[in-house]
Short mmCIF file of all heavy atoms in Angstrom, two decimals:
data_model
loop_
_atom_site.label_atom_id
_atom_site.label_comp_id
_atom_site.label_asym_id
_atom_site.label_seq_id
_atom_site.Cartn_x
_atom_site.Cartn_y
_atom_site.Cartn_z
N GLY A 643 -213.48 20.95 168.08
CA GLY A 643 -214.78 20.29 167.93
C GLY A 643 -214.84 19.41 166.70
O GLY A 643 -215.58 18.41 166.68
N ALA A 644 -214.07 19.73 165.68
CA ALA A 644 -214.03 18.89 164.48
C ALA A 644 -213.44 17.52 164.80
O ALA A 644 -213.89 16.48 164.28
CB ALA A 644 -213.22 19.57 163.38
N PHE A 645 -212.44 17.47 165.68
CA PHE A 645 -211.81 16.20 166.03
C PHE A 645 -212.66 15.39 167.00
O PHE A 645 -212.57 14.16 167.04
CB PHE A 645 -210.43 16.46 166.64
CG PHE A 645 -209.45 17.05 165.68
CD1 PHE A 645 -209.23 18.42 165.66
CD2 PHE A 645 -208.76 16.25 164.77
CE1 PHE A 645 -208.34 18.98 164.76
CE2 PHE A 645 -207.86 16.81 163.88
CZ PHE A 645 -207.65 18.18 163.86
N VAL A 646 -213.48 16.08 167.81
CA VAL A 646 -214.36 15.36 168.74
C VAL A 646 -215.34 14.48 167.98
O VAL A 646 -215.78 13.44 168.47
CB VAL A 646 -215.12 16.37 169.64
CG1 VAL A 646 -216.16 15.67 170.51
CG2 VAL A 646 -214.14 17.11 170.53
N ALA A 647 -215.69 14.90 166.74
CA ALA A 647 -216.64 14.13 165.94
C ALA A 647 -216.04 12.84 165.39
O ALA A 647 -216.77 11.97 164.91
CB ALA A 647 -217.16 14.98 164.77
N LEU A 648 -214.72 12.67 165.45
CA LEU A 648 -214.09 11.47 164.92
C LEU A 648 -214.31 10.29 165.86
O LEU A 648 -214.23 10.43 167.09
CB LEU A 648 -212.59 11.71 164.74
CG LEU A 648 -212.20 12.82 163.75
CD1 LEU A 648 -210.69 13.01 163.73
CD2 LEU A 648 -212.71 12.49 162.35
N PRO A 649 -214.58 9.09 165.32
CA PRO A 649 -214.87 7.93 166.18
C PRO A 649 -213.71 7.55 167.09
O PRO A 649 -213.93 7.11 168.20
CB PRO A 649 -215.18 6.82 165.17
CG PRO A 649 -215.56 7.53 163.91
CD PRO A 649 -214.76 8.79 163.89
N ASN A 650 -212.48 7.70 166.64
CA ASN A 650 -211.32 7.24 167.43
C ASN A 650 -210.42 8.39 167.85
O ASN A 650 -209.20 8.26 167.86
CB ASN A 650 -210.52 6.22 166.60
CG ASN A 650 -211.32 4.99 166.26
OD1 ASN A 650 -211.98 4.42 167.13
ND2 ASN A 650 -211.29 4.58 164.99
N GLN A 651 -211.02 9.51 168.21
CA GLN A 651 -210.21 10.65 168.61
C GLN A 651 -209.55 10.39 169.96
O GLN A 651 -210.12 9.68 170.80
CB GLN A 651 -211.05 11.93 168.68
CG GLN A 651 -211.71 12.21 170.01
CD GLN A 651 -213.01 11.46 170.21
OE1 GLN A 651 -213.36 10.63 169.39
NE2 GLN A 651 -213.71 11.73 171.29
N PRO A 652 -208.35 10.94 170.19
CA PRO A 652 -207.70 10.78 171.50
C PRO A 652 -208.54 11.42 172.60
O PRO A 652 -209.26 12.38 172.37
CB PRO A 652 -206.36 11.52 171.33
CG PRO A 652 -206.17 11.62 169.85
CD PRO A 652 -207.52 11.68 169.24
N VAL A 653 -208.43 10.89 173.81
CA VAL A 653 -209.22 11.39 174.93
C VAL A 653 -208.89 12.85 175.22
O VAL A 653 -209.77 13.64 175.57
CB VAL A 653 -208.96 10.52 176.19
CG1 VAL A 653 -209.63 11.15 177.41
CG2 VAL A 653 -209.46 9.11 175.97
N PHE A 654 -207.62 13.23 175.04
CA PHE A 654 -207.22 14.59 175.40
C PHE A 654 -207.92 15.63 174.54
O PHE A 654 -208.03 16.80 174.93
CB PHE A 654 -205.70 14.76 175.30
CG PHE A 654 -205.18 14.93 173.91
CD1 PHE A 654 -205.12 16.19 173.32
CD2 PHE A 654 -204.75 13.84 173.17
CE1 PHE A 654 -204.64 16.35 172.03
CE2 PHE A 654 -204.26 13.99 171.89
CZ PHE A 654 -204.21 15.24 171.31
N VAL A 655 -208.43 15.24 173.35
CA VAL A 655 -209.12 16.20 172.49
C VAL A 655 -210.41 16.70 173.16
O VAL A 655 -210.67 17.90 173.23
CB VAL A 655 -209.43 15.57 171.11
CG1 VAL A 655 -210.31 16.51 170.29
CG2 VAL A 655 -208.15 15.28 170.36
N ALA A 656 -211.21 15.76 173.67
CA ALA A 656 -212.44 16.15 174.36
C ALA A 656 -212.13 16.95 175.62
O ALA A 656 -212.84 17.91 175.96
CB ALA A 656 -213.25 14.90 174.72
N ILE A 657 -211.06 16.57 176.32
CA ILE A 657 -210.66 17.29 177.54
C ILE A 657 -210.29 18.72 177.21
O ILE A 657 -210.76 19.68 177.84
CB ILE A 657 -209.48 16.57 178.22
CG1 ILE A 657 -209.90 15.17 178.68
CG2 ILE A 657 -208.96 17.39 179.39
CD1 ILE A 657 -208.74 14.31 179.14
N LEU A 658 -209.44 18.90 176.20
CA LEU A 658 -208.99 20.24 175.82
C LEU A 658 -210.14 21.07 175.27
O LEU A 658 -210.19 22.29 175.48
CB LEU A 658 -207.86 20.12 174.79
CG LEU A 658 -207.06 21.40 174.49
CD1 LEU A 658 -206.46 21.97 175.77
CD2 LEU A 658 -205.96 21.10 173.47
N HIS A 659 -211.07 20.41 174.58
CA HIS A 659 -212.23 21.10 174.00
C HIS A 659 -213.03 21.80 175.10
O HIS A 659 -213.34 23.00 175.00
CB HIS A 659 -213.11 20.08 173.26
CG HIS A 659 -214.31 20.68 172.60
ND1 HIS A 659 -214.24 21.65 171.63
CD2 HIS A 659 -215.64 20.42 172.77
CE1 HIS A 659 -215.45 21.97 171.22
NE2 HIS A 659 -216.33 21.24 171.90
N LEU A 660 -213.35 21.08 176.17
CA LEU A 660 -214.13 21.67 177.25
C LEU A 660 -213.28 22.59 178.12
O LEU A 660 -213.77 23.59 178.65
CB LEU A 660 -214.76 20.57 178.10
CG LEU A 660 -215.79 21.03 179.14
CD1 LEU A 660 -216.85 21.92 178.51
CD2 LEU A 660 -216.46 19.85 179.80
N ALA A 661 -211.99 22.28 178.27
CA ALA A 661 -211.12 23.16 179.06
C ALA A 661 -211.01 24.54 178.40
O ALA A 661 -211.03 25.58 179.08
CB ALA A 661 -209.74 22.53 179.21
N LEU A 662 -210.93 24.56 177.07
CA LEU A 662 -210.88 25.84 176.36
C LEU A 662 -212.21 26.57 176.45
O LEU A 662 -212.26 27.80 176.56
CB LEU A 662 -210.50 25.61 174.90
CG LEU A 662 -209.03 25.27 174.64
CD1 LEU A 662 -208.82 24.88 173.18
CD2 LEU A 662 -208.12 26.44 174.99
N ALA A 663 -213.32 25.81 176.39
CA ALA A 663 -214.64 26.43 176.54
C ALA A 663 -214.78 27.08 177.92
O ALA A 663 -215.34 28.17 178.05
CB ALA A 663 -215.74 25.39 176.32
N THR A 664 -214.24 26.41 178.94
CA THR A 664 -214.26 27.00 180.29
C THR A 664 -213.40 28.25 180.34
O THR A 664 -213.74 29.22 181.04
CB THR A 664 -213.75 25.96 181.31
OG1 THR A 664 -214.57 24.79 181.25
CG2 THR A 664 -213.78 26.52 182.72
#
Side-chain angles (χ1 to χ4, degrees):
F645 294 97
V646 173
L648 298 176
N650 298 314
Q651 89 278 6
V653 172
F654 78 86
V655 172
I657 297 170
L658 192 56
H659 182 60
L660 189 51
L662 286 173
T664 302

